[in-house]
């Protein structure tokens, strides 16, 4: 009986060996990549050496089909998908296809752009993520070697976010976080995706801890500003005043010339009607960046608010010299905002100017801006 059992096992082992050999031979004989996929069923059961033979043969077919028609989007996607997967097992082998990977990436830029133009985010994602994945293979993870990656990976992150692929959005936002153009927007995508995972108080604490830890890691561009804004929003409730002040102190110690820091301190103070603190911090911001239009508008608005408080406290309800001085400063700042933002895309300077002229008793100018407010 034992002898029969041994013989049966030997037969099974022989059959398995034949089956494994058949997969390798069938894939190597395949004429198309689609045929190779069918022939490769069960490849996971093969020894690693045979698996590599199968994947190598499949990649050669994918490369051959792309080479035959370099404008074929399907062939480009198939090839890049195949070579990026192959690279996980054989990075050096994948590098043999360096030039073809770059050609295929360029091919997929066209449908990716079409998707962006049409706001077809599935099309954007389905094409452009290959550009980044292949770059990771081509440059061995050093994506800084490809100047096109930050823009492309940002578009992929946008698409992933729009499609609800939060994990992928975080992944593809990462290479753009330290970019001078896309860093802030990429960080916004990452934080929005992380925030979706917050379900309870403990999650919330973990989230803000992770966000705070991001500050300073991406100094190029405006990623730091987005991180700081998120932290300030989190601690915006009055009961978190001490925590918020601590954050401001820590950032000031690390980065005393951070314009966004003073802008946010000013905004927090303005929200609490602490006009003097708000005005001084807005002015500090503008010393660092005179072109910060949103802050200049907040300064004009805050000067109006302080003037209004002074007027309301006077016995006759009319502006005294201090209020007049503030209103004139507000008008100067609001007119500057008008120059920088003529279409009122950033701020409603028309209302601020109307309000200031009205409080000064300048009916002619007040009427001009009152009419403009309704347009």
């Amino acid at each position: 009986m034992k002898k029969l059992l041994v013989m049966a096992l030997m037969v099974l082992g022989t059959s398995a060996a034949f089956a494994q050999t058949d997969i390798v031979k069938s894939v190597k004989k395949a004429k198309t990549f689609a045929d190779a996929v069918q022939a490769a069923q069960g490849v996971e059961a093969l020894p690693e050496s045979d698996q590599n033979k199968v994947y190598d043969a499949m990649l050669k077919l994918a490369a051959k089909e792309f080479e035959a028609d370099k404008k074929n989007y399907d062939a480009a996607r198939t090839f890049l998908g195949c070579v990026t997967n192959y690279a996980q097992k054989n990075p050096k082998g994948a590098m043999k296809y360096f030039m073809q990977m770059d050609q295929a990436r360029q091919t997929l830029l066209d449908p990716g752009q079409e998707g962006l133009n049409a706001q077809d985010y599935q099309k954007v994602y389905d094409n452009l993520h290959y550009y980044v994945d292949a770059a990771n293979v081509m440059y061995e993870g050093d994506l800084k070697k490809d100047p096109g990656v930050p823009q492309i990976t940002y578009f992929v992150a946008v698409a992933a976010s729009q499609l609800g692929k939060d994990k992928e959005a975080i992944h593809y936002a990462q290479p753009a976080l330290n970019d001078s153009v896309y860093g802030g927007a990429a960080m916004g995508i990452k934080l929005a995706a992380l925030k979706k995972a917050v379900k309870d108080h403990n999650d919330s604490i973990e989230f803000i801890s992770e966000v705070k830890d991001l500050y300073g890691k991406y100094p190029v561009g405006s990623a730091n500003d987005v991180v700081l804004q998120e932290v300030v929003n989190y601690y915006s409730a009055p009961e978190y005043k001490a925590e918020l002040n601590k954050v401001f102190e820590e950032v000031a110690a690390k980065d005393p010339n951070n314009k966004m820091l003073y802008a946010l301190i000013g905004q927090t103070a303005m929200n609490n009607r602490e006009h003097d603190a708000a005005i001084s911090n807005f002015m500090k911001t503008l010393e660092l960046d005179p072109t910060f239009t949103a802050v200049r508008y907040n300064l004009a608005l805050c000067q109006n608010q302080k003037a209004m408080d002074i007027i309301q406290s006077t016995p006759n309800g009319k502006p005294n010299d201090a209020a007049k001085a503030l209103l004139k400063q507000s008008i100067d700042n609001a007119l500057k905002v008008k120059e920088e933002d003529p279409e009122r895309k950033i701020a409603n300077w028309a209302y601020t100017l109307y309000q200031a002229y009205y409080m000064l008793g300048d009916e002619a100018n007040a009427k001009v801006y009152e009419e403009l407010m309704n347009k």
Side-chain angles (χ1 to χ4, degrees):
M1 180 69 179
K2 183 176 181 182
K3 186 175 181 179
L4 288 173
L5 181 59
V6 171
M7 289 178 65
L9 289 174
M10 288 176 65
V11 170
L12 287 173
T14 304
S15 299
F18 278 133
Q20 292 171 2
T21 304
D22 287 346
I23 291 176
V24 175
K25 287 182 177 179
S26 297
V27 170
K28 286 186 175 182
K29 289 180 179 178
K31 300 299 183 184
T32 68
F33 182 80
D35 290 341
V37 171
Q38 289 299 317
Q41 298 299 314
V43 66
E44 297 84 1
L46 299 182
E48 186 174 352
S49 59
D50 283 341
Q51 286 188 36
N52 290 339
K53 292 175 184 177
V54 169
Y55 296 136
D56 184 64
M58 293 175 71
L59 177 55
K60 286 179 180 176
L61 281 171
K64 182 179 178 181
E65 290 180 6
F66 170 67
E67 197 67 31
D69 185 0
K70 292 181 179 177
K71 292 185 179 181
N72 186 314
Y73 301 149
D74 287 334
R77 285 189 290 265
T78 297
F79 166 65
L80 287 178
C82 196
V83 75
T84 52
N85 287 330
Y86 181 75
Q88 297 176 27
K89 293 181 173 292
N90 187 356
K92 290 184 179 179
M95 289 296 285
K96 293 187 297 183
Y97 298 89
F98 187 98
M99 293 302 296
Q100 282 176 295
M101 280 191 277
D102 196 43
Q103 291 167 349
R105 291 192 314 151
Q106 300 306 317
T107 295
L108 293 181
L109 288 178
D110 286 340
Q113 185 63 58
E114 290 169 7
L116 285 170
N117 294 343
Q119 294 187 328
D120 183 344
Y121 295 109
Q122 190 66 58
K123 189 172 185 178
V124 173
Y125 185 84
D126 287 346
N127 287 282
L128 295 187
H129 84 270
Y130 288 111
Y131 187 102
V132 182
D133 295 347
N136 219 12
V137 175
M138 294 164 63
Y139 300 107
E140 300 176 303
D142 188 3
L143 295 178
K144 294 190 293 295
K145 291 182 178 179
D146 185 341
V149 163
Q151 181 185 41
I152 302 301
T153 198
Y154 166 69
F155 290 148
V156 177
V158 169
S161 178
Q162 291 290 330
L163 295 170
K165 297 176 178 286
D166 297 327
K167 188 175 179 180
E168 290 82 357
I170 293 170
H171 172 74
Y172 287 107
Q174 193 68 29
L177 293 179
N178 212 38
D179 183 71
S180 60
V181 177
Y182 299 99
M187 181 61 78
I189 290 172
K190 176 171 181 171
L191 296 186
L194 288 173
K195 197 183 296 184
K196 285 185 181 180
V198 175
K199 305 299 181 185
D200 55 33
H201 181 64
N202 289 334
D203 290 345
S204 180
I205 292 173
E206 289 180 11
F207 166 73
I208 200 61
S209 176
E210 184 175 354
V211 173
K212 287 164 72 174
D213 190 52
L214 290 171
Y215 188 84
K217 290 186 175 179
Y218 305 98
V220 179
S222 55
N224 273 343
D225 294 345
V226 175
V227 170
L228 185 56
Q229 178 74 68
E230 186 65 43
V231 174
V232 171
N233 289 342
Y234 182 87
Y235 289 125
S236 61
E239 61 266 28
Y240 292 130
K241 186 174 182 178
E243 286 88 343
L244 183 56
N245 287 336
K246 184 179 178 181
V247 169
F248 287 148
E249 290 171 5
E250 290 174 350
V251 175
K254 293 178 183 177
D255 191 4
N257 292 321
N258 185 328
K259 65 181 181 181
M260 184 59 70
L261 168 65
Y262 302 106
L264 291 171
I265 293 175
Q267 181 180 309
T268 302
M270 185 172 72
N271 293 342
N272 295 328
R273 298 194 69 80
E274 298 169 357
H275 301 309
D276 290 338
I279 289 170
S280 64
N281 279 285
F282 289 148
M283 292 179 70
K284 175 67 174 176
T285 306
L286 292 171
E287 287 175 12
L288 295 168
D289 181 4
T291 66
F292 204 147
T293 304
V295 167
R296 190 174 295 279
Y297 173 73
N298 280 346
L299 175 58
L301 188 61
C302 200
Q303 288 166 331
N304 265 11
Q305 290 175 346
K306 183 177 179 182
M308 190 181 300
D309 286 353
I310 292 173
I311 292 169
Q312 289 175 348
S313 67
T314 59
N316 59 7
K318 293 183 178 181
N320 57 18
D321 290 344
K324 289 178 181 178
L326 281 166
L327 291 170
K328 289 177 181 178
Q329 291 168 11
S330 174
I331 289 169
D332 288 343
N333 282 308
L335 289 173
K336 179 68 173 174
V337 172
K338 178 184 174 183
E339 291 176 14
E340 297 171 354
D341 180 34
E343 296 182 8
R344 289 180 282 175
K345 292 182 178 179
I346 298 174
N348 187 13
W349 43 261
Y351 175 75
T352 306
L353 285 166
Y354 159 75
Q355 190 181 49
Y357 283 123
Y358 180 83
M359 285 188 284
L360 281 172
D362 186 338
E363 294 182 7
N365 273 313
K367 186 175 181 180
V368 169
Y369 290 103
E370 183 179 24
E371 291 175 354
L372 189 57
M373 281 164 49
N374 299 319
K375 292 182 179 179

